[in-house]
Structure formats: structure tokens, C-alpha cells
């Protein structure tokens, strides 16, 4: 049925697959997206939200590189919040509630508008391999589709098994069949496979809930956007979320089903997400707590379906109904569908390179949950880089590898390929040692030039980015140039709890004080006139403030990153025989031989490798 040989073939139409297909096609590669159900492209399988702690930073990085997840999130948002405003700017993280149905629709339409991208609905069951190189795929209908590069983004579908109480059945998502054949083929080729588990809460009918008994959570008064592009606008109206909590009565009912829970009766042996445990797991592990928060999240503008965040479970359906009706505001709740757990295959990510190409099979790339990650954003950024690097490989150009001081995406991929993961990996700000450099506000400054160089970001957007940061630099200079006398500013300083000045001082020096912000200084007419004349946005003003107040921390992190980056240049030969390094610990030799890091910086991140082991390696390499 398909006689064309494609440059890039993407297997799976989730968040990773959608970004991979878009990137590859936009970079000029003939691209085919093969998925089991074209109606479910970029489906939000779990929560109807994008962004959050560290995830919001990833979305803005995807946007700066030319990906589409942030644009789609903005177009389909029903609420926007900037989390952690009470903390430092390195912790600020944008998050949006999404309209689940519109999100998938917008992705589908965006991909259909992408020139050079074809679609085919079928299950991929095998890989075509010649002389250690992938050459295409075989589908369930018997189609042999040839391609120069193949990207696997199978999500939770590889031998997926759904659990609800003592019942279990094959499936990759509720109502969808599992994908068979790929795991077995990769294992036959020498890959190591494992099993992971994730879960999802029940969905309920919002008309059956009493919101008057819950705490309302509104969006920001002045909502922002994920995307740096002018094609999306902030919300003018928003839908509220609500907050409730479990209680001892809920816990007692849930406990009655523990003997039938696949979590506790041995039916599930694989590892679930540490930071998003099921409600039964929370009750078991935190037995001293009387309640756990429940976030009540609408699934769209018009639908009455509600996502019960915090109540992920695989208990028998009747237990779920009885327990959920003991939650405040849920007394008359009607379930649309019960929660469930799902087990699926993944491949420990130490088997892939920094480019996301596998070490064992040339031309094969893995992205998303197949690498052991969890979350839409983590999957999307891997898909984007896999699509980019597949095309770079075809062009004979170097892969795009982001350093840990360049992007959260770089942190994520570096963690995966050097440390691996035995549980679903989730990104947090705490995983980034240079998080003051990797703020959500400067993702465009960091990555837009890279996206433009790759052909994913238009020249107009690059010019807009450069103009923005020129205005920021100009404002910073204006703050240095405008000086004020004590008589004109001391009353303001005293009202802010800051020491008065005794002689003329620049506004920049005053802004460096922790008690003073840029809005305060706009009382100075000369500054207010300058900012009005130059049309600076609120975000640009915040950027100047952040740069001044955190300048010392930024410089320190840059120095630390430079030291590590110098080690990046020290490459380790692919055929390094670690068994010869007798002075190195046995654990380090074993781990390094397994991971095969590409350079010293990666070797330092391998679990079980000490600074002393790195010294031995450097001496052995003559460095």
C-alpha cells in the first residue's frame, strides 16, 4: 500500500510522536506518522493540563526551539497560573488547564497543515533491519514501509496491561488495544527491556458535584502564555478549578479493597511513579495522615467531565464509587469511568545516545515513555529532539545536544542516558544544578537561535526575540543612567522598609535592593516616561529586575557550568576497556562499561561513579 521510502518514520501519535513528526517534516525530511488510531493524536491520556513545576520551563524551551506544544497549550487553555510566585524566579513555573478535546483537535489540524508529513493508521509490529541498521517497519496489515530513520514513541502501549481491581486486560489506554511485537523484536536484537506502571483517576460528572463545599482555585488575574510567539494571546476568561480532600472515612473504605488491589496482591510487580502515587499507595505509605488533597479539574470549556486529580487508583470500581462519595462535595458523584493502573514495557535509557539514537541499532531513535519518563512535557521534548537529530543524521550534520546549563531538556536527556531510571522519571527544578540560568522567562534567549539555525523558527521570530532582549538591555542601561536625589526617593524607600540614601544614586542601585521592585521606581517620572515611550511589556520589566537582583548567582552558575563544559570536550573512546582500570572501584567499572558514556562529563553523572574514579579515568586517558 505504501511504496514511498521516507526519510523519517515516526511510530506513535502521542506528544512525543507529534513533536517528532512536526520537527522532521518542517526541517525538510519526507516524514510518515504511523499510529494505531488517527483520531487520538496527541491525546491527553491522563490529566487535562500542561506545564507545572519544571514542566512549564520545558514547554517554553520546546517553543523556543520551534516545537508546537506551547502554542497548542495556549490555544486550548481554559485557565493559566504562574506557580511558585512567592519563591525566587528560578522556581516560577507556568501551568495551564486544557480543554482535552480541543487540545487533540488542534494538534491534529496543526500536523495536517505541516508540509511533507504523511499519515497512516496501523500497528507497527516489527522492524526491518539490515547489517545493524534499521531500514523500516512492518505493520499489522502486512505493510513493509521503508525509511532511513525510525523513531519509536510508543508511550504506554507496548504490551500494555490495564488493571481495575482483580480484573486485567490488554490495552494501551482505556478503550484502546495494546501494541504487540516491538518489545520482542528489540529484545531479540539485544536490547534490555523492563516494565513500568502508571495510573489515572476516575472521571466524574461535574453536574453531580457540590462546588459550594469546595475551595475555589481561580486562574491568575493577569494570565500569561507559554509561547513566545505573537500567534497566541492570554486568556480573557477562565474556568476555575476546585480543591477538596480525602478524610478518614474515605481511607477506611479504600482499605477494604486492599486485598483486591493489584498494587498489594502481587498482580502488579512493576514500579510506579514516585511523585504521583495512587491514592491507596498514599494511604499505605503515609498512614499517619488523615487527609490528602484532591484537585477538581474541569476537562474543557463545555464538557461536564471532571478529572479528580490526586485520586489515581486501580481499586475495584465499586470501592472507587463508595470511597469517592465520602469526599467533601462528591456526596452524589456519578462516575463517567473508573480509575485504572496500566503496566507497559520500556527500555532502560542507558541504551541510547545523547542524540536519542540507540547504541545498538543505527538509525533507530527512542522518545517518550519508552525511555522510562512520565508526563506530556517530558515526552514532547524528547520527541522534538529525536525528530531534529534524525534529520541532522540524514544530512550528515552533528546532533543537537543541549548541555545541562542550556536547558531543562538537556538535564532530562543527560539524566536518562547516564543514570538510567528504574521508575517513571519526572522533571523537577531540583534536578537542575543551574536552575537560575534555566528560568522560564529566558528560554527564548537561550534556544531561539538554535531553533532558527535548524529551520524550525522563522526569521521574524528570531528578530522579535533579539529586539526584546535589546529593549531589556536598554532598560538596564537607563536604570544606570537615571539618578535620583535623596529628597525625591527617600519617602518611597522608607515606605518599603529600605534605608534612605544620603546622596544621588542610580535607579539601578536602588533596584538591586530586595525590598524595591521596578513598579516602585516607576514613580520616578523620568523612568516612567522612558518605559512608556519604549513600550516594554510586564514580562520584559520582570526580566530586567531578575537580571539585576540575581546577577551574582547567575555569574556563579555560569562559572561552574564553564568548568563542567571544559570536561565535555574530553571524549571517551567507544571501545574503552574499563576492566583494565584496576585502581577504579569495581562498581564504577561495571556501571561505566554498561552505560558507555561519551565524555567525562557524562561519566561523572553515572550513579556509583565517584570523583576518585573519574581521576583514575583521566589519568588512564593521559589527561
Amino acid at each position: 500500500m505504501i511504496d514511498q521510502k521516507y526519510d523519517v518514520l515516526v511510530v506513535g501519535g502521542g506528544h512525543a510522536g507529534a513533536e517528532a513528526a512536526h520537527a522532521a517534516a518542517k526541517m525538510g525530511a519526507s516524514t510518515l506518522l504511523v499510529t494505531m488510531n488517527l483520531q487520538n493524536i496527541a491525546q491527553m491520556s491522563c490529566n487535562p493540563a500542561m506545564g507545572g513545576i519544571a514542566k512549564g520551563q520545558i514547554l517554553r524551551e520546546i517553543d523556543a526551539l520551534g516545537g508546537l506544544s506551547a502554542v497548542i497549550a495556549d490555544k486550548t487553555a481554559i485557565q493559566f497560573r504562574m506557580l511558585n510566585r512567592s519563591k525566587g524566579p528560578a522556581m516560577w513555573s507556568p501551568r495551564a488547564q486544557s480543554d482535552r478535546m480541543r487540545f487533540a483537535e488542534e494538534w491534529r489540524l496543526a500536523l495536517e497543515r505541516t508540509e511533507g508529513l504523511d499519515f497512516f493508521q496501523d500497528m507497527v509490529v516489527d522492524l526491518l533491519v539490515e547489517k545493524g541498521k534499521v531500514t523500516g517497519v512492518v505493520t499489522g496489515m502486512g505493510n513493509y514501509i521503508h525509511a532511513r530513520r525510525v523513531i519509536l514513541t510508543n508511550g504506554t502501549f507496548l504490551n500494555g496491561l490495564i488493571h481495575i481491581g482483580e480484573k486485567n486486560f490488554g490495552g494501551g489506554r482505556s478503550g484502546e488495544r495494546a501494541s504487540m511485537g516491538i518489545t520482542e523484536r528489540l529484545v531479540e536484537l539485544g536490547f534490555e527491556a523492563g516494565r513500568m506502571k502508571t495510573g489515572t483517576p476516575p472521571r466524574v460528572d461535574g453536574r453531580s458535584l457540590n462546588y459550594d463545599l469546595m475551595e475555589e482555585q481561580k486562574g491568575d488575574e493577569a494570565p500569561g502564555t507559554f509561547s513566545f510567539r505573537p500567534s497566541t494571546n492570554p486568556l480573557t476568561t477562565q474556568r476555575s478549578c476546585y480543591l477538596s480532600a480525602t478524610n478518614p472515612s474515605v481511607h477506611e473504605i479504600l482499605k477494604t479493597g486492599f486485598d483486591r488491589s493489584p498494587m498489594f496482591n502481587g498482580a502488579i510487580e512493576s514500579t510506579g511513579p514516585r511523585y504521583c502515587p495512587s491514592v491507596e499507595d498514599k494511604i499505605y505509605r503515609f498512614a499517619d495522615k488523615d487527609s490528602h488533597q484532591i484537585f477538581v479539574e474541569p476537562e474543557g470549556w463545555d464538557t461536564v467531565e471532571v478529572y479528580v486529580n490526586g485520586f489515581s487508583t486501580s481499586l475495584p470500581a465499586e470501592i472507587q464509587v463508595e470511597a469517592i462519595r465520602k469526599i467533601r462535595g462528591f456526596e452524589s458523584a456519578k462516575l463517567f469511568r473508573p480509575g485504572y493502573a496500566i503496566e507497559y514495557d520500556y527500555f532502560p535509557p542507558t541504551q541510547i545516545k545523547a542524540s536519542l539514537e540507540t547504541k545498538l541499532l543505527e538509525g533507530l531513535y527512542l522518545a517518550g515513555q519508552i525511555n522510562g519518563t512520565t508526563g506530556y512535557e517530558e515526552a514532547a521534548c524528547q520527541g522534538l529532539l529525536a525528530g531534529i537529530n534524525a534529520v541532522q543524521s540524514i544530512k550528515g550534520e552533528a546532533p543537537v545536544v543541549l548541555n545541562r546549563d542550556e536547558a531543562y531538556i538537556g538535564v532530562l536527556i543527560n539524566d536518562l542516558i547516564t543514570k538510567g531510571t528504574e521508575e517513571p522519571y519526572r522533571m523537577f527544578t531540583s534536578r537542575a544544578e543551574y536552575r537560575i540560568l534555566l528560568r522560564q522567562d529566558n528560554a527564548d534567549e537561550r534556544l531561539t537561535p538554535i531553533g532558527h539555525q535548524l529551520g524550525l523558527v522563522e526569521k521574524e521570530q528570531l528578530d522579535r526575540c533579539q529586539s526584546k532582549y535589546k529593549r531589556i538591555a536598554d532598560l538596564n542601561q537607563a536604570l544606570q543612567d537615571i539618578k535620583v536625589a535623596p529628597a525625591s526617593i527617600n519617602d518611597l524607600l522608607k515606605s518599603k522598609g529600605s534605608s534612605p540614601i544620603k546622596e544621588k544614586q542610580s535607579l539601578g542601585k536602588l533596584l538591586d535592593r530586595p525590598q524595591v521592585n521596578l513598579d516602585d521606581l516607576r514613580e520616578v517620572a523620568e523612568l516612567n516616561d522612558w518605559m512608556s515611550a519604549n513600550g516594554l511589556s510586564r514580562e520584559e520589566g520582570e526580566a530586567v529586575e531578575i537580571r539585576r537582583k540575581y546577577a551574582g548567582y547567575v555569574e556563579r552558575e555560569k562559572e561552574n557550568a564553564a568548568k563542567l563544559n571544559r570536561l565535555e570536550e574530553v571524549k571517551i573512546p567507544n571501545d574503552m576497556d574499563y576492566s583494565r582500570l584496576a585502581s577504579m572501584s569495581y562498581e564504577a567499572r561495571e556501571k561505566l562499561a554498561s552505560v558507555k558514556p561519551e565524555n567525562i562529563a557524562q561519566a561523572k553523572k553515572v550513579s556509583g561513579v565517584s570523583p576518585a574514579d573519574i581521576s583514575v579515568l583521566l589519568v588512564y586517558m593521559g589527561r
Side-chain angles (χ1 to χ4, degrees), residues 41-303:
I41 286 177
Q43 183 73 261
M44 297 182 118
S45 306
C46 199
N47 61 316
M50 293 293 283
I53 307 301
K55 293 168 177 278
Q57 283 88 329
I58 288 177
L59 269 189
R60 300 205 100 190
E61 291 175 354
I62 289 172
D63 186 70
L65 285 169
L68 289 183
S69 289
V71 173
I72 305 295
D74 285 343
K75 287 183 176 181
T76 59
I78 63 175
Q79 186 195 88
F80 185 94
R81 293 176 67 197
M82 185 67 76
L83 306 183
N84 285 339
R85 274 283 191 181
S86 61
K87 300 179 181 179
M91 304 294 286
W92 297 357
S93 303
R95 184 183 189 272
Q97 288 297 132
S98 299
D99 187 311
R100 182 192 299 275
M101 290 182 286
R102 288 194 58 228
F103 186 91
E105 178 188 30
E106 282 289 342
W107 252 119
R108 169 72 180 263
L109 295 175
L111 290 176
E112 288 185 357
R113 290 192 294 266
T114 303
E115 188 176 345
L117 176 58
D118 292 344
F119 304 85
F120 192 70
Q121 180 169 294
D122 202 350
M123 180 192 297
V124 171
V125 298
D126 199 359
L127 298 175
L128 298 174
V129 178
E130 293 180 14
K131 299 178 181 179
K133 183 175 182 177
V134 67
T135 60
V137 302
V138 181
T139 73
M141 291 195 294
N143 290 292
Y144 283 62
I145 310 175
H146 296 275
R148 299 170 70 183
R149 303 292 184 271
V150 173
I151 303 173
L152 297 181
T153 69
N154 302 76
T156 59
F157 283 76
L158 290 181
N159 293 324
L161 185 65
I162 292 174
H163 297 265
I164 303 177
E166 294 173 299
K167 302 172 184 175
N168 61 69
F169 47 91
R173 193 160 47 204
S174 180
E176 297 180 65
R177 58 181 176 158
S179 173
M180 320 298 285
I182 292 293
T183 297
E184 293 74 14
R185 177 61 162 146
L186 289 177
V187 170
E188 178 187 303
L189 290 166
F191 286 85
E192 176 192 351
R195 294 282 278 177
M196 281 189 176
K197 167 254 172 188
T198 190
T200 191
R203 272 58 158 194
V204 301
D205 187 336
R207 297 169 298 185
S208 66
L209 302 182
N210 185 350
Y211 293 105
D212 292 337
L213 298 179
M214 306 178 198
E215 178 185 336
E216 187 176 11
Q217 288 193 312
K218 296 183 177 181
D220 289 347
E221 288 187 12
T225 59
F226 285 112
S227 180
F228 296 100
R229 307 173 209 186
S231 58
T232 64
N233 298 305
L235 291 168
T236 54
T237 59
Q238 302 184 68
R239 282 202 67 176
S240 292
C241 297
Y242 293 84
L243 184 65
S244 189
T246 63
N247 54 61
S249 297
V250 176
H251 298 185
E252 289 307 311
I253 293 171
L254 291 172
K255 288 177 183 176
T256 65
F258 277 13
D259 61 329
R260 291 183 286 158
S261 166
M263 289 283 297
F264 300 113
N265 65 15
I268 293 179
E269 297 181 357
S270 50
T271 307
R274 178 189 301 267
Y275 303 103
C276 189
S278 65
V279 67
E280 57 264 38
D281 199 25
K282 285 189 278 191
I283 293 169
Y284 178 77
R285 287 165 51 190
F286 307 106
D288 57 319
K289 295 197 176 295
D290 292 331
S291 68
H292 297 280
Q293 286 186 319
I294 297 294
F295 299 91
V296 184
E297 302 178 346
E299 297 227 340
W301 284 114
D302 303 314
T303 181

Side-chain angles (χ1 to χ4, degrees), residues 472-493:
I472 289 171
D474 288 346
L475 173 56
N476 192 45
Q477 187 60 51
L479 289 166
Q480 288 295 99
D481 294 341
I482 300 173
K483 293 181 170 57
V484 289
S488 64
I489 201 72
N490 277 344
D491 287 345
L492 170 64
L493 294 177

Side-chain angles (χ1 to χ4, degrees), residues 547-577:
R547 278 160 168 71
R548 293 203 64 92
K549 291 185 183 296
Y550 294 87
Y553 298 101
V554 168
E555 287 306 312
R556 190 181 311 159
E557 286 200 353
K558 284 182 177 178
E559 290 173 8
N560 290 339
K563 291 176 183 177
L564 183 63
N565 288 340
R566 284 196 291 272
L567 288 179
E568 288 278 5
E569 300 172 5
V570 182
K571 304 296 182 184
I572 301 175
N574 290 332
D575 58 354
M576 172 66 75
D577 183 2

Side-chain angles (χ1 to χ4, degrees), residues 2 5 99 187 196 272 277 286 311 395 434 482 553 587 620:
I2 299 176
K5 180 177 180 179
D99 187 311
V187 170
M196 281 189 176
F286 307 106
F311 205 82
K395 292 179 177 179
Y434 306 118
I482 300 173
Y553 298 101
E587 180 185 5
Y620 180 81

